Amino acid sequence: MKALVIVGIQNDFLPGGALPVKGGDAIIPLINKLQQYFDTVIATQDWHSANHSGFASNHPGKEKFDEIYLHGKPQTLWPDHCVKDTHGAELNRMLNQNQIEAVIRKGTDPDIDSYSGFYDNDHLTATGLAGYLKNKGVKEVYVAGLTGDYCVYYTAMDSLREGFKTFIIEDATRSLSREAFDEAMSVFISAGGKCILSDAVINLFCRSEN
Ligand code: ZN
């Protein structure tokens, strides 16, 4: 069983949003096309409260994108984004949601950020995604969405840690920084992950169906 995990296709991460990723909207048609090749499709959704500790606005004297230590861990201070129940937090309406079986909301605890769809950044609280996938019999996890250098990468690393064969669909993600993405990918590949292009996914799955 193969799962597609679609990360962060939310208005605030798209052009015009609070924390836009350049070209983020361009990958949505591709993500829509890919969904049909998977046994299960999951989406993750940042779902922060307004007082979230990952927001620069909650740290007087700090600027957006400053790096601080929070509970002893490095934390980037983000512009306010994906505040629950706002338009910015909604999955973008261009995303086909017909095949999405579950939406995993993350970053709901104001005290800690959660880049990964599986765990918070301290690895103390699970979202339930690993159990959901294991109960479905999923062995392979393919990750796409936003952003390649943060939430896609952290989700994929936790997927490996959970024992899934894990792929990042390289042309179905965009990053805040290309350099950071390249660095993240080398760590991911060293840890046993694989990068793949969407054409290869489609060819592979078409063959295995025949
Ligand atoms: Zn967030």
Side-chain angles (χ1 to χ4, degrees), residues 13 46 48 81 113:
F13 293 132
D46 276 34
H48 301 308
H81 66 276
D113 218 343

Side-chain angles (χ1 to χ4, degrees), residues 86-98:
T86 65
H87 173 74
E90 285 172 18
L91 297 179
N92 184 260
R93 61 185 182 83
M94 274 167 48
L95 179 68
N96 178 4
Q97 295 192 40
N98 292 343

Side-chain angles (χ1 to χ4, degrees), residues 73-122:
K73 296 271 172 63
Q75 169 74 47
T76 303
L77 292 179
W78 303 106
D80 291 19
H81 66 276
C82 301
V83 173
K84 59 187 173 186
D85 286 328
T86 65
H87 173 74
E90 285 172 18
L91 297 179
N92 184 260
R93 61 185 182 83
M94 274 167 48
L95 179 68
N96 178 4
Q97 295 192 40
N98 292 343
Q99 294 188 66
I100 295 175
E101 289 182 0
V103 177
I104 300 289
R105 288 178 168 167
K106 65 186 185 67
T108 55
D109 180 346
D111 289 332
I112 181 142
D113 218 343
S114 184
Y115 294 157
S116 159
F118 288 90
Y119 290 96
D120 67 45
N121 288 1
D122 270 350

